Amino acid sequence: MKFPLKFACVFPGQGSQSLGMMKGYADFPVVRETFAEASDILGQDFWALVNEGPADKLNLTINTQPLMLMAGIAVFRAWESLGDAKPVFMAGHSLGEYTALVASEALLLADALPLVCFRAEAMQQAVPEGIGGMAAILGLDDEVVRAVCNEVTDSSSGELLEPANFNSPGQIVVAGHKNAVLRGMELAKSRGAKRVLMLPVSVPSHCSLMSRAADKMRQQLEDVTLKSPKIPLLHNADVQQHDNPVAIKEILVQQLCRPVRWTETIRAFAAAGISHVMECGPGKVLSGLNKHVDRNLQSLALPDGAALQDAASILMQGGESPTPVARVYPG
């Protein structure tokens, strides 16, 4: 198949998982084969986990992160099985950045899976459960949320609150000490936020509280082989393309402590002449966010094999995709 349109692939992170999320790909043997490969690497039956649960085990960070990696790669391989069409750019939301690196052939799946397991453990160990938290703030400008975080952060007590995800205009996730998150939620409401929502996560991702995890990741990455991506990708922490493996490793370290700049990433795609953004993985979370960033970009979610076939037809014919529904996404 030949695709005349310029498209990008994006990969979801933690928060897009659900029980049975791969059942819609039964007609693509490469999906089951990818799960078998990944399960052999990690010594755990992830196909059974994703189809049978239990849900609480599926949602454990230590399981969710490798699961979303293998799911994203399985869907990308299913896409590749349809033809030779390659995206001109890639990106991944938080954990999804590792999926993008595998898809761009900068990182082997056999190396990526243990690495994201290590990442999950390091993040969980960095802050004891119950100490940190994350909340979504809807309906405020970026600068207002930054001001809320600055006002809540207390140098005397050491408690901090920082922006963690700039998901789309009007949807920002903040992270920090739980008490600071709660104070920030109240202050955001007083500043005109349409809605504030504490997120059900145990790890305050993408803030300074992850510094210990970042230090561990820096050491772990020293022994990991990385190559220059064959497909350029934009990184969360700086919205830049990096070809040097040393620079890629450093930006992966920084990613843990710095916000996910998703709004800027999607705008950069649009500025580069991308017409369609395809979400390679289960669910439609990123597609919903992307539509709120730039309505001129066509968002293609691939929650099942039928949607994948539809995406191929849309890209061949230059058609439009349906409008997805946005939801809060911690990544």
Side-chain angles (χ1 to χ4, degrees), residues 226-229 235 241-251:
L226 268 168
K227 300 178 181 179
S228 296
H235 292 272
Q241 174 189 345
H242 296 282
D243 294 322
N244 187 309
V246 174
I248 295 173
K249 289 182 179 183
E250 180 57 30
I251 209 68

Side-chain angles (χ1 to χ4, degrees), residues 173-234:
V173 174
V174 297
H177 292 95
K178 190 171 184 179
N179 288 335
V181 173
L182 293 172
R183 293 199 304 273
M185 292 170 68
E186 291 303 313
L187 184 57
K189 283 192 281 188
S190 73
R191 298 288 167 83
K194 294 179 180 178
R195 187 183 179 198
V196 295
L197 176 68
M198 181 70 81
L199 300 179
V201 297
S202 59
V203 175
S205 304
H206 303 294
C207 74
S208 299
L209 295 182
M210 288 291 106
S211 60
R212 289 176 56 193
D215 290 340
K216 290 181 179 179
M217 281 297 295
R218 179 174 282 109
Q219 294 178 353
Q220 191 73 8
L221 282 163
E222 289 180 359
D223 298 325
V224 174
T225 299
L226 268 168
K227 300 178 181 179
S228 296
K230 290 187 177 180
I231 300 171
L233 62 98
L234 297 181

Side-chain angles (χ1 to χ4, degrees), residues 107-125:
L107 182 62
L108 293 174
L109 182 62
D111 292 331
L113 285 166
L115 184 61
V116 299
C117 288
F118 180 89
R119 178 180 184 267
E121 290 180 347
M123 292 172 69
Q124 191 65 68
Q125 294 170 0

Side-chain angles (χ1 to χ4, degrees), residues 1-23:
M1 293 183 182
K2 294 184 178 180
F3 298 86
L5 299 173
K6 291 177 67 175
F7 70 98
C9 283
V10 295
F11 297 88
Q14 195 167 345
S16 286
Q17 75 278 2
S18 63
L19 196 61
M21 64 186 182
M22 304 306 296
K23 288 181 179 178

Side-chain angles (χ1 to χ4, degrees), residues 43-158:
Q44 182 179 345
D45 189 348
F46 279 90
W47 189 256
L49 177 60
V50 76
N51 286 295
E52 302 169 12
D56 57 349
K57 186 176 180 181
L58 178 79
N59 290 324
L60 289 175
T61 297
I62 189 62
N63 290 327
T64 303
Q65 293 205 14
L67 177 62
M68 289 306 301
L69 171 60
M70 66 185 75
I73 290 302
V75 173
F76 185 70
R77 288 177 176 177
W79 168 260
E80 288 184 313
S81 72
L82 296 180
D84 297 326
K86 297 289 186 183
V88 297
F89 270 114
M90 288 184 172
H93 193 290
S94 188
L95 168 73
E97 193 163 292
Y98 289 82
T99 318
L101 286 167
V102 175
S104 67
E105 300 183 41
L107 182 62
L108 293 174
L109 182 62
D111 292 331
L113 285 166
L115 184 61
V116 299
C117 288
F118 180 89
R119 178 180 184 267
E121 290 180 347
M123 292 172 69
Q124 191 65 68
Q125 294 170 0
V127 179
E129 191 166 355
I131 299 298
M134 301 181 77
I137 298 177
L138 308 181
L140 289 182
D141 292 339
D142 294 0
E143 291 307 315
V144 177
V145 174
R146 288 192 180 98
V148 166
C149 290
N150 290 337
E151 190 167 337
V152 167
T153 296
D154 187 345
S155 58
S156 62
S157 67

